[in-house]
Amino acid sequence: MRTLPIDELRGQVRGDVISSEDERYEDARTVYNAMIDRRPAVIVRAANAGDVMAGVNFAREAGLDLAVRGGGHSVPGFGTCDDGVVIDLSGMRGVRVDPASSTARAEGGATWGDFNAATHAFGLATTGGIISTTGVAGLTLGGGIGYLARGFGLSIDNLVSADVVTADGQLVQASEREHDDLFWALRGGGGNFGVATALEFQLHPVKDIYGGPMFYELSEAENVLRFYREYIADAPEQMGAFPAFQIAPPLPFIPEDRHGDTFIAIVACWAGPVEEGPKAFEPFHDVAPVVAEFVGPAPYPALNGAFDGLLPPGLHHYWKASFVSELTDDAIAAHVTHGPDVPTVHSTMHLYPIDGAVHRVGASDTAFAYRDANFATVIVGAWPDPAQGDANIAWVRRYYDAVAPHSEEGGYVNFMAGDDQGRVRANYRGNYDRLVTVKRAYDPGNLFHLNQNIVP
Ligand SMILES: Cc1cc2nc3c(=O)[nH]c(=O)nc-3n(C[C@H](O)[C@H](O)[C@H](O)COP(=O)(O)OP(=O)(O)OC[C@H]3O[C@@H](n4cnc5c(N)ncnc54)[C@H](O)[C@@H]3O)c2cc1C
């Protein structure tokens, strides 16, 4: 085995450089998905953009694999690798809000929890994910789907600029004005083009919301899904709501004798005036009897963290995903067949709406091509005990195979499995060739290949 000049790297890095003999190594190499058990040669815990540049140069010059980790949530484990370099941005989590321009600049390792806490103080927010521990950068670069998407677009639609360390170790700022080709590709192209050390977002006046989950009997599943299809098509854009199949966790708002039972749920977030929330929720109460609910006014960051307990780090994960243009009766039948078999309290199916403001951006305006899709489906297998793996993976695949004929060929890159590389071209439709052109300009050697890869 050859010796790497790790001491030289240590001399260049302000943060930590962790290799296998370091007592912090085991902790440092651990990622969110417990199925991923990889042993990098070196982990660069960057403190600043200069550290990132040093890590990129080190990996390129040594000819090593390079993985980039923000929030660490990649289900396929793209944030780590065997025998290569991991640039870990978890030490770069600062968020600076500029209330005058209603923008916020987040460092490349910030989570949505970090981001929302900072912007909430100013009564501002932007589209982010539904779990607070997910990374801002990883989520955004793939597109960014969340409660506020119908009103304000995807996270990428709110991206104003990004500081990016490219494969040659240089830092560039990408925006509509500079490196606009790179800026276009970053908005949906994932981690293919470099390491984002900072991302600047447009914010919107959202402080407190009215929202939460509602649980209905499984016998209402078809009714609820049919209702949801009609309702969401004309719903006000301040309403972000998605259906889910969910085993009831042991929480006080659910009758104790129903803990462990499976339900069809709707999780909704009304980001309009809070006092209008109860009226906005009436359709959800009219569709079927609600067995249990935890709905009311809440600070937006509270809803963003409300389900963190269901998806803690250290579970095993396998997910599949697809975009959906029309939620047909046949698609609903497939959901009603497979959703109720959800195998663990952590596993679920979410059907996110991506209409409204998401549709107002053209299919070729950013790399995210499915601007006419109405929903993004994700089938989440998540389980604590390795022995449950086969059953969970089989359920995800069975469910996915049943809905695939009623879905688009492509799926959201951030929800896709490691075995979905063959679908990358389909995910980008007509934008793929332009992505290859940008990839060739910024990363001709494919240094950034641990992702849903665009091959130069
Ligand atoms: C529990 C959970 C909930 C989720 N909820 C949502 C949701 O509501 N909406 C949604 O859209 N997605 C959601 N996702 C999917 C999520 O967007 C992806 O898993 C995303 O890749 C996570 O980013 P991360 O930074 O946390 O992950 P990491 O594993 O750190 O990174 C994943 C990949 O993103 C890229 N990346 C990360 N940081 C950077 C950076 N600074 N610069 C360049 N590339 C970078 C790299 O390619 C990296 O390999 C969720 C995932 C999980 C596990």
Side-chain angles (χ1 to χ4, degrees):
M1 200 164 149
R2 75 193 158 118
T3 315
L4 295 167
I6 291 178
D7 285 337
E8 212 174 291
L9 178 64
R10 283 201 174 94
Q12 296 165 3
V13 167
R14 171 76 181 166
D16 290 320
V17 174
I18 301 171
S19 52
S20 60
E21 58 279 2
D22 193 305
E23 60 182 19
R24 296 167 298 177
Y25 181 75
E26 284 305 313
D27 182 49
R29 76 181 185 87
T30 303
V31 292
Y32 175 81
N33 181 358
M35 267 177 94
I36 310 294
D37 180 20
R38 301 201 181 122
R39 303 188 66 82
V42 59
I43 299 161
V44 179
R45 276 209 176 137
N48 55 42
D51 289 357
V52 174
M53 292 158 71
V56 166
N57 288 334
F58 181 83
R60 190 191 59 250
E61 285 162 15
L64 295 173
D65 277 347
L66 173 61
V68 180
R69 190 190 313 163
H73 269 198
S74 167
V75 168
F78 292 138
T80 185
C81 58
D82 277 323
D83 305 321
V85 178
V86 171
I87 296 181
D88 174 1
L89 295 149
S90 61
M92 293 175 59
R93 292 170 61 163
V95 180
R96 180 182 185 276
V97 180
D98 179 358
S101 60
S102 289
T103 57
R105 189 173 185 278
E107 287 189 297
T111 64
W112 284 104
D114 299 326
F115 190 93
N116 292 331
T119 62
H120 184 72
F122 298 91
L124 298 167
T126 202
T127 306
I130 64 153
I131 299 284
S132 80
T133 50
T134 309
V136 169
L139 180 140
T140 299
L141 296 174
I145 296 172
Y147 294 114
L148 304 181
R150 298 186 72 240
F152 303 122
L154 302 169
S155 304
I156 50 170
D157 301 334
N158 295 286
L159 191 65
V160 177
S161 71
D163 291 358
V164 183
V165 176
T166 51
D168 58 2
Q170 302 293 310
L171 181 97
V172 300
Q173 191 170 63
S175 69
E176 294 283 7
R177 293 173 310 283
E178 298 167 85
H179 296 280
D180 58 333
D181 52 345
L182 177 61
F183 188 57
W184 175 86
L186 288 174
R187 287 174 292 163
N192 271 283
F193 303 95
V195 186
T197 55
L199 300 107
E200 184 191 359
F201 292 90
Q202 189 63 54
L203 304 173
H204 309 276
V206 174
K207 189 169 173 64
D208 294 333
I209 55 82
Y210 188 92
M214 292 152 284
F215 286 64
Y216 308 88
E217 298 291 0
L218 273 183
S219 55
E220 298 287 352
E222 183 177 344
N223 175 26
V224 167
L225 288 171
R226 283 174 182 248
F227 150 79
Y228 173 77
R229 170 179 66 191
E230 311 305 326
Y231 164 79
I232 203 72
D234 298 320
E237 290 184 359
Q238 296 102 317
M239 181 62 85
F242 62 88
F245 285 97
Q246 181 65 51
I247 293 179
L251 292 173
F253 75 91
I254 300 167
E256 214 172 310
D257 62 340
R258 303 306 305 273
H259 293 174
D261 289 354
T262 305
F263 293 90
I264 176 98
I266 291 182
V267 183
C269 170
W270 168 254
V274 175
E275 62 281 6
E276 293 176 17
K279 179 133 191 64
F281 268 55
E282 277 174 10
F284 303 130
H285 291 124
D286 291 344
V287 58
V290 175
V291 180
E293 66 173 25
F294 192 67
V295 166
Y300 173 68
L303 183 63
N304 177 236
F307 305 108
D308 290 4
L310 277 178
L311 291 162
L315 298 173
H316 297 241
H317 285 261
Y318 181 79
W319 298 17
K320 292 288 258 187
S322 45
F323 289 119
V324 176
S325 294
E326 202 193 330
L327 188 62
T328 60
D329 290 348
D330 288 344
I332 288 177
H335 283 290
V336 172
T337 302
H338 297 281
D341 294 338
V342 58
T344 74
V345 71
H346 313 286
S347 301
T348 189
M349 185 290 302
H350 290 174
L351 187 71
Y352 297 109
I354 45 169
D355 56 347
V358 180
H359 283 194
R360 287 197 286 277
V361 178
S364 59
D365 291 351
T366 67
F368 189 99
Y370 272 91
R371 292 291 179 170
D372 53 352
N374 285 307
F375 305 99
T377 313
V378 62
I379 304 165
V380 171
W383 59 98
D385 178 355
Q388 297 168 301
D390 288 349
N392 273 271
I393 292 171
W395 172 73
V396 172
R397 290 194 173 140
R398 219 167 38 240
Y399 197 160
Y400 173 76
D401 287 347
V403 293
H406 317 292
S407 308
E408 297 298 324
E409 203 184 342
Y412 175 40
V413 286
N414 276 351
F415 289 157
M416 313 260 297
D419 54 23
D420 276 323
Q421 287 279 342
R423 294 171 67 200
V424 172
R425 181 180 276 274
N427 294 340
Y428 292 110
R429 286 177 156 172
N431 290 339
Y432 188 78
D433 290 342
R434 185 170 168 196
L435 280 164
V436 171
T437 305
V438 181
K439 180 80 173 170
R440 285 183 183 149
Y442 288 91
D443 185 18
N446 208 4
L447 183 65
F448 300 106
H449 64 276
L450 297 174
N451 41 49
Q452 299 289 356
N453 196 225
I454 292 155
V455 182

